[in-house]
Amino acid sequence: MEKNELMKLKSSESQVMDGSDIMKLVGNEAVFSNFVDHKFEELDIDKDGKLSVKELQPAVADIGVALGLPPQGSSPESDHIYSEIVLRGSIHTFYGQVLQEFTHGKQEKVSKTEFKEVLSDILLGMAAGLKRDPIVLLRMDGEDLLEFVKSPAFEPEMISLYSELELPDGSLKDYIIKAFEKLTVDQGMPPASDSWVMSNVVEPVVESCIGATNEQPVTQETFLAEFKKVAESAAQRLKEQPVIVAHSENTFDGSGIKRLLSNKFELDKTLDSALKTIPRDRNGKMSKEYLRVALDVLAPSAGLPPIGAVDQMDKVIQEVCKMLDADDGKMVKEEEFKKLLTEILGSMMLQLEGKPVSVSTNSVVHEPLASSSTLLQPPSISEM
C-alpha cells in the first residue's frame, strides 16, 4: 500500500506525524522561549536555577513519548521505529545519547540556556527525521478487519495465505494463529508479533471460537470457515480494545543520493562535515576502515537510513564497498577518502535506481493517541 493511500485509511482515526508541529514550535522564538521557561520551571524541582541529571530524566523520557511512540523498554519491536525513522540506535541508546547531549557527558547541572540550545537541536533533528519519513499513528478498532472479512478479496487472499502455511502436523489453532501473524495493517490487523496483541486479542478469540478442536489434517474449507469466524470475533475485540499502531514506510531509490551528488556545494559541505569525525594519523591520512562511519554521518543528507537499520540497505553498502575495494583498511589522503565516499554514493545510487529497496514498519504503541507527554504541549502553544 502506498504511503499516501495509507494516510487516507481511516483519516478520522489516524494521526500523521511529519515534524511540522515541532518545526512550528521551535521556529517561533517567542513561543519557544516561553515554552522553555515553562518546561525548565516544571523540571527544576529544587528551584536552584539549574537541572540535575535526575531532574532531566523526565524531559528525556518525554522526548520519546511526545512522538507518540513506545516509552523506553516497552517492547523490542519499537526499537526499529526509533533506529530507522527518528534517531539512531536502540531506545536505550537513544535515551542515553539525549541525556549525554544535555550534560555534555559530565554529571553536572544544566543551565536554562544550555537546556534551550540542546532541546532545540534535538527537536529539530526529530522534525527532520519525521519530515523525511512521516509516521502514521493508526487507531485500529476492528472496522477495517471486519471490512476485509466481508470483502470479495477475503477468500482468494486467505486461500493464498493458507497455501503458504507449512504446518504438516499443525492443529486448527496453529493454522489460525499463524494466519493472524501474516495479516497486515492494510487488512485491518495490528501486528500479531506484538506480545500484547497476541495475548490480548489473538489467543483469547482463538480459544473462545475454536475451543478444544484439534482436527487434522486441516482442510482449506475448514480453515476458511473457522478463520472467518475467529476474525469477526477479533474485530469485535478490537472495537472494545482499540490498538494504536505506528506505521512507517519508505522506498530507497537513489533519488536522495542523486540530489546530493548534483549539488557540488552541498556535497562538499556534507563531505567536510562527515570527515570531521574521522581520526587521522600524523601525516593527515585516514584509514579506509572509517568509510562506513563517514557514510553513516552523511546518510541523512543522501536520504539513506543509518547503517544497521535496514538489512537490505546494509547489503547494498557491503556489495559496493567490496566492488570498490573500500574495506582493505589502507591509509589514504583526505582527497582520496572523499573521492571514495563519492564513488560509493554513486554506485549505491545506480544499484538503487535499478532495484529500489522498500521497507515498512509497524509497531504497537502502548500509549493512547492523546499522549500523556506534555513536552510539546505547554500552555503557550495555543499562541502559535
Side-chain angles (χ1 to χ4, degrees), residues 78-357:
S78 60
D79 287 9
H80 198 56
I81 288 285
Y82 278 91
S83 64
E84 183 184 326
I85 308 302
V86 187
L87 293 172
R88 294 191 181 95
S90 67
I91 291 182
H92 296 280
T93 304
F94 160 70
Y95 280 90
Q97 286 176 340
V98 172
L99 191 57
Q100 189 174 43
E101 280 289 318
F102 277 123
T103 62
H104 307 292
K106 302 174 184 177
Q107 297 296 306
E108 59 184 30
K109 293 197 170 187
V110 177
S111 68
K112 186 187 291 186
T113 300
E114 291 172 318
F115 179 74
K116 180 179 180 181
E117 290 175 355
V118 176
L119 188 60
S120 174
D121 287 344
I122 291 171
L123 293 178
L124 288 174
M126 286 183 170
L130 289 168
K131 182 179 181 181
R132 184 174 63 251
D133 303 299
I135 293 173
V136 182
L137 294 180
L138 295 169
R139 183 176 183 274
M140 309 200 72
D141 58 5
E143 285 190 27
D144 291 313
L145 178 58
L146 195 59
E147 186 177 316
F148 168 63
V149 171
K150 294 179 178 180
S151 73
F154 175 75
E155 189 167 315
E157 287 188 27
M158 294 312 298
I159 289 174
S160 175
L161 190 153
Y162 170 82
S163 66
E164 296 173 8
L165 300 177
E166 297 179 0
L167 301 168
D169 300 316
S171 65
L172 180 58
K173 279 187 182 180
D174 295 332
Y175 270 84
I176 299 292
I177 289 175
K178 198 71 176 176
F180 269 112
E181 291 176 351
K182 289 183 174 292
L183 286 189
T184 61
V185 167
D186 55 305
Q187 290 167 320
M189 185 65 198
S193 57
D194 183 88
S195 58
W196 189 94
V197 175
M198 179 58 71
S199 60
N200 288 273
V201 180
V202 177
E203 290 176 347
V205 296
V206 170
E207 189 63 35
S208 64
C209 294
I210 304 299
T213 303
N214 195 32
E215 177 186 333
Q216 285 183 314
V218 179
T219 64
Q220 176 180 292
E221 290 72 23
T222 299
F223 169 76
L224 280 175
E226 294 301 319
F227 185 83
K228 183 174 184 179
K229 183 169 63 175
V230 176
E232 288 172 343
S233 181
Q236 179 59 38
R237 197 168 185 88
L238 286 170
K239 183 179 181 180
E240 297 164 0
Q241 292 182 293
V243 174
I244 308 302
V245 175
H247 174 91
S248 64
E249 57 187 68
N250 202 350
T251 298
F252 302 102
D253 57 6
S255 58
I257 303 176
K258 190 172 186 177
R259 280 193 298 271
L260 180 61
L261 294 181
S262 64
N263 187 330
K264 188 177 185 307
F265 174 78
E266 188 64 29
L267 176 62
D268 289 341
K269 186 174 73 172
T270 303
L271 290 173
D272 287 339
S273 178
L275 264 59
K276 288 179 182 178
T277 65
I278 308 302
R280 305 162 192 250
D281 67 9
R282 58 187 177 186
N283 297 315
K285 290 186 176 181
M286 294 168 280
S287 172
K288 288 163 72 173
E289 67 183 22
Y290 286 100
L291 281 166
R292 279 182 171 81
V293 175
L295 186 63
D296 206 29
V297 174
L298 60 79
S301 300
L304 299 172
I307 291 175
V310 182
D311 289 341
Q312 302 99 303
M313 290 299 297
D314 289 346
K315 289 177 182 176
V316 172
I317 294 172
Q318 187 176 356
E319 289 172 11
V320 169
C321 287
K322 184 178 180 180
M323 181 177 66
L324 296 174
D325 292 325
D327 291 327
D328 58 18
K330 289 182 179 179
M331 303 297 293
V332 295
K333 293 181 179 179
E334 180 177 311
E335 286 309 309
E336 187 174 348
F337 196 93
K338 285 183 178 179
K339 182 183 177 184
L340 267 170
L341 264 180
T342 305
E343 288 177 353
I344 290 172
L345 288 172
S347 295
M348 288 182 65
M349 180 187 73
L350 293 175
Q351 284 210 28
L352 293 171
E353 284 179 341
K355 191 177 180 181
V357 171

Side-chain angles (χ1 to χ4, degrees), residues 54-88:
K54 186 176 180 180
E55 289 172 328
L56 278 168
Q57 293 283 4
V60 174
D62 247 8
I63 287 172
V65 179
L67 292 172
L69 299 176
Q72 182 176 9
S74 63
S75 73
E77 291 82 3
S78 60
D79 287 9
H80 198 56
I81 288 285
Y82 278 91
S83 64
E84 183 184 326
I85 308 302
V86 187
L87 293 172
R88 294 191 181 95

